[in-house]
Amino acid sequence: HFNTAEEIYRTKDYSAVPGIRPFTKFMLRDKDTKRAENATRKAEEYGAKILTFDDINYPDSLRLTDNPPYVLYVKGEIMKWDRILGIGVVGTRNCSDYGIAATNKICTELSEAGVTIVSGLARGIDSAAAKCAIKSGSKTIAVLGCGIDVVYPQENAGLMEEIARNGAVITEFPPGTRPLAKNFPWRNRIISGLSRGIIVI
Protein backbone atom coordinates (compact mmCIF):
# COMPACT_ATOMS: atom_id res chain seq x y z
CA HIS A 1 0.00 0.00 0.00
CA PHE A 2 2.92 2.32 0.77
CA ASN A 3 6.06 2.88 -1.28
CA THR A 4 8.49 3.52 1.58
CA ALA A 5 8.84 3.03 5.30
CA GLU A 6 8.90 6.83 5.65
CA GLU A 7 5.40 7.03 4.15
CA ILE A 8 4.15 4.47 6.66
CA TYR A 9 5.73 6.45 9.49
CA ARG A 10 4.31 9.80 8.39
CA THR A 11 0.75 8.52 7.89
CA LYS A 12 -1.65 9.32 10.74
CA ASP A 13 -4.77 7.49 9.54
CA TYR A 14 -4.48 3.84 8.46
CA SER A 15 -8.22 3.23 7.98
CA ALA A 16 -7.87 3.15 4.16
CA VAL A 17 -5.30 0.32 4.32
CA PRO A 18 -6.93 -3.11 3.96
CA GLY A 19 -6.06 -6.03 6.22
CA ILE A 20 -4.44 -4.19 9.13
CA ARG A 21 -5.49 -5.47 12.55
CA PRO A 22 -6.57 -2.95 15.22
CA PHE A 23 -3.47 -3.71 17.34
CA THR A 24 -1.18 -3.02 14.37
CA LYS A 25 -2.94 0.30 13.71
CA PHE A 26 -2.47 1.16 17.38
CA MET A 27 1.26 0.38 17.16
CA LEU A 28 1.67 2.35 13.91
CA ARG A 29 0.17 5.45 15.52
CA ASP A 30 3.03 5.49 18.02
CA LYS A 31 5.58 7.78 16.33
CA ASP A 32 8.17 7.67 19.12
CA THR A 33 11.55 6.63 17.67
CA LYS A 34 13.41 6.28 20.98
CA ARG A 35 13.37 2.46 20.93
CA ALA A 36 14.70 2.38 17.36
CA GLU A 37 17.39 4.95 18.15
CA ASN A 38 18.40 2.98 21.25
CA ALA A 39 18.62 -0.29 19.26
CA THR A 40 20.71 1.42 16.56
CA ARG A 41 23.09 2.93 19.10
CA LYS A 42 23.56 -0.33 21.01
CA ALA A 43 24.16 -2.31 17.80
CA GLU A 44 26.78 0.18 16.63
CA GLU A 45 28.49 0.16 20.04
CA TYR A 46 28.68 -3.63 19.81
CA GLY A 47 30.20 -3.44 16.33
CA ALA A 48 27.15 -4.79 14.50
CA LYS A 49 25.79 -3.56 11.21
CA ILE A 50 22.07 -3.14 10.52
CA LEU A 51 20.47 -4.34 7.29
CA THR A 52 16.89 -3.38 6.51
CA PHE A 53 14.65 -5.17 4.03
CA ASP A 54 15.32 -2.61 1.28
CA ASP A 55 19.10 -2.55 1.84
CA ILE A 56 21.15 -3.67 -1.18
CA ASN A 57 23.10 -6.05 1.11
CA TYR A 58 19.98 -7.75 2.50
CA PRO A 59 19.92 -11.46 1.45
CA ASP A 60 17.63 -11.99 -1.55
CA SER A 61 16.92 -15.54 -0.37
CA LEU A 62 15.30 -14.11 2.78
CA ARG A 63 13.29 -11.60 0.74
CA LEU A 64 11.64 -14.57 -0.98
CA THR A 65 10.49 -16.27 2.23
CA ASP A 66 6.89 -16.05 3.46
CA ASN A 67 7.70 -13.93 6.49
CA PRO A 68 11.07 -12.21 6.02
CA PRO A 69 12.64 -10.27 8.89
CA TYR A 70 12.38 -6.51 8.38
CA VAL A 71 15.74 -5.89 10.05
CA LEU A 72 18.91 -7.94 10.44
CA TYR A 73 21.68 -7.17 12.91
CA VAL A 74 24.98 -8.59 11.61
CA LYS A 75 28.29 -8.91 13.43
CA GLY A 76 31.06 -10.00 11.12
CA GLU A 77 31.15 -10.09 7.35
CA ILE A 78 28.41 -8.67 5.14
CA MET A 79 28.57 -11.54 2.68
CA LYS A 80 27.45 -11.85 -0.89
CA TRP A 81 24.68 -13.97 0.62
CA ASP A 82 23.22 -15.25 -2.61
CA ARG A 83 26.57 -16.34 -4.04
CA ILE A 84 27.34 -18.67 -1.15
CA LEU A 85 26.18 -22.25 -0.98
CA GLY A 86 24.70 -22.36 2.51
CA ILE A 87 23.69 -25.62 4.14
CA GLY A 88 21.96 -25.55 7.51
CA VAL A 89 23.25 -28.04 10.07
CA VAL A 90 21.10 -28.35 13.18
CA GLY A 91 20.28 -30.94 15.80
CA THR A 92 19.78 -31.80 19.41
CA ARG A 93 21.39 -29.90 22.27
CA ASN A 94 21.88 -33.11 24.27
CA CYS A 95 23.78 -35.05 21.64
CA SER A 96 25.74 -38.28 21.82
CA ASP A 97 29.39 -38.81 20.98
CA TYR A 98 28.18 -40.43 17.77
CA GLY A 99 26.19 -37.28 16.93
CA ILE A 100 29.32 -35.14 17.37
CA ALA A 101 31.37 -37.57 15.25
CA ALA A 102 28.72 -37.53 12.49
CA THR A 103 28.59 -33.72 12.61
CA ASN A 104 32.36 -33.46 12.32
CA LYS A 105 32.52 -35.86 9.37
CA ILE A 106 29.65 -34.23 7.47
CA CYS A 107 30.71 -30.64 8.15
CA THR A 108 34.36 -31.30 7.29
CA GLU A 109 33.37 -32.71 3.90
CA LEU A 110 30.91 -29.87 3.26
CA SER A 111 33.47 -27.22 4.26
CA GLU A 112 36.16 -28.75 2.05
CA ALA A 113 33.67 -28.57 -0.85
CA GLY A 114 33.23 -24.82 -0.27
CA VAL A 115 29.90 -24.96 1.54
CA THR A 116 29.05 -22.31 4.15
CA ILE A 117 27.64 -23.92 7.30
CA VAL A 118 24.56 -22.15 8.68
CA SER A 119 23.54 -23.00 12.22
CA GLY A 120 22.07 -21.65 15.43
CA LEU A 121 24.90 -21.49 18.03
CA ALA A 122 22.92 -23.69 20.43
CA ARG A 123 24.68 -26.29 22.57
CA GLY A 124 25.38 -29.66 20.99
CA ILE A 125 25.13 -30.19 17.25
CA ASP A 126 24.83 -26.50 16.28
CA SER A 127 28.03 -25.57 18.14
CA ALA A 128 29.88 -28.62 16.82
CA ALA A 129 28.94 -27.69 13.24
CA ALA A 130 30.25 -24.12 13.64
CA LYS A 131 33.50 -25.29 15.29
CA CYS A 132 34.09 -27.79 12.51
CA ALA A 133 33.55 -25.17 9.79
CA ILE A 134 36.03 -22.79 11.46
CA LYS A 135 38.60 -25.59 11.90
CA SER A 136 38.21 -26.48 8.21
CA GLY A 137 38.81 -22.85 7.20
CA SER A 138 35.30 -22.39 5.84
CA LYS A 139 32.84 -19.55 6.38
CA THR A 140 30.08 -20.12 8.87
CA ILE A 141 26.91 -18.23 9.83
CA ALA A 142 25.25 -18.39 13.25
CA VAL A 143 21.65 -17.19 13.60
CA LEU A 144 20.66 -16.15 17.13
CA GLY A 145 17.36 -16.34 18.99
CA CYS A 146 18.34 -13.29 21.06
CA GLY A 147 19.94 -9.86 20.65
CA ILE A 148 23.29 -9.55 18.86
CA ASP A 149 24.87 -8.44 22.16
CA VAL A 150 23.53 -11.39 24.17
CA VAL A 151 25.63 -14.54 24.39
CA TYR A 152 23.53 -17.67 24.66
CA PRO A 153 24.55 -20.17 25.83
CA GLN A 154 27.15 -18.32 27.89
CA GLU A 155 29.85 -20.95 27.29
CA ASN A 156 29.76 -20.08 23.57
CA ALA A 157 31.10 -16.52 24.06
CA GLY A 158 34.46 -17.42 22.50
CA LEU A 159 32.83 -19.39 19.68
CA MET A 160 30.53 -16.46 18.88
CA GLU A 161 33.54 -14.17 18.46
CA GLU A 162 35.30 -16.74 16.27
CA ILE A 163 32.23 -17.03 14.04
CA ALA A 164 32.10 -13.23 13.68
CA ARG A 165 35.75 -13.32 12.53
CA ASN A 166 35.14 -16.25 10.14
CA GLY A 167 31.71 -15.39 8.77
CA ALA A 168 28.75 -13.71 10.43
CA VAL A 169 26.54 -13.75 13.51
CA ILE A 170 22.99 -12.69 12.61
CA THR A 171 19.75 -11.93 14.42
CA GLU A 172 16.51 -10.09 13.77
CA PHE A 173 16.03 -9.34 17.48
CA PRO A 174 17.06 -5.91 18.81
CA PRO A 175 20.05 -5.63 21.16
CA GLY A 176 19.26 -6.71 24.69
CA THR A 177 16.58 -9.25 23.67
CA ARG A 178 16.77 -12.27 25.98
CA PRO A 179 16.82 -15.83 24.58
CA LEU A 180 13.16 -16.61 25.16
CA ALA A 181 11.80 -19.99 24.00
CA LYS A 182 9.35 -18.32 21.57
CA ASN A 183 12.25 -16.68 19.70
CA PHE A 184 13.80 -19.91 18.45
CA PRO A 185 11.12 -21.00 15.95
CA TRP A 186 11.41 -17.47 14.47
CA ARG A 187 15.18 -17.89 14.31
CA ASN A 188 14.80 -21.22 12.49
CA ARG A 189 13.07 -19.64 9.49
CA ILE A 190 16.17 -17.46 8.95
CA ILE A 191 18.45 -20.51 9.08
CA SER A 192 16.18 -22.13 6.50
CA GLY A 193 15.98 -18.99 4.35
CA LEU A 194 19.78 -18.67 4.12
CA SER A 195 20.24 -22.37 3.31
CA ARG A 196 19.83 -24.40 0.13
CA GLY A 197 19.21 -27.45 2.30
CA ILE A 198 19.05 -28.51 5.95
CA ILE A 199 20.80 -31.45 7.60
CA VAL A 200 19.28 -32.52 10.91
CA ILE A 201 21.69 -34.58 13.01
Side-chain angles (χ1 to χ4, degrees), residues 135-193:
K135 187 177 176 184
S136 300
S138 178
K139 300 280 186 196
T140 185
I141 299 169
V143 185
L144 307 181
C146 53
I148 197 79
D149 57 341
V150 176
V151 180
Y152 179 79
Q154 192 61 48
E155 66 262 26
N156 277 350
L159 178 58
M160 190 169 156
E161 288 300 318
E162 277 192 83
I163 293 169
R165 287 193 299 271
N166 294 278
V169 178
I170 298 174
T171 185
E172 69 178 313
F173 298 105
T177 302
R178 306 311 306 166
L180 304 175
K182 66 180 182 179
N183 296 351
F184 291 91
W186 284 98
R187 174 210 57 184
N188 291 345
R189 83 193 197 290
I190 299 177
I191 295 174
S192 173

Side-chain angles (χ1 to χ4, degrees), residues 9 14 24-33 35:
Y9 176 76
Y14 298 93
T24 306
K25 287 180 187 176
F26 171 78
M27 294 296 288
L28 287 170
R29 286 189 193 106
D30 179 3
K31 306 300 182 182
D32 189 352
T33 59
R35 280 194 329 179

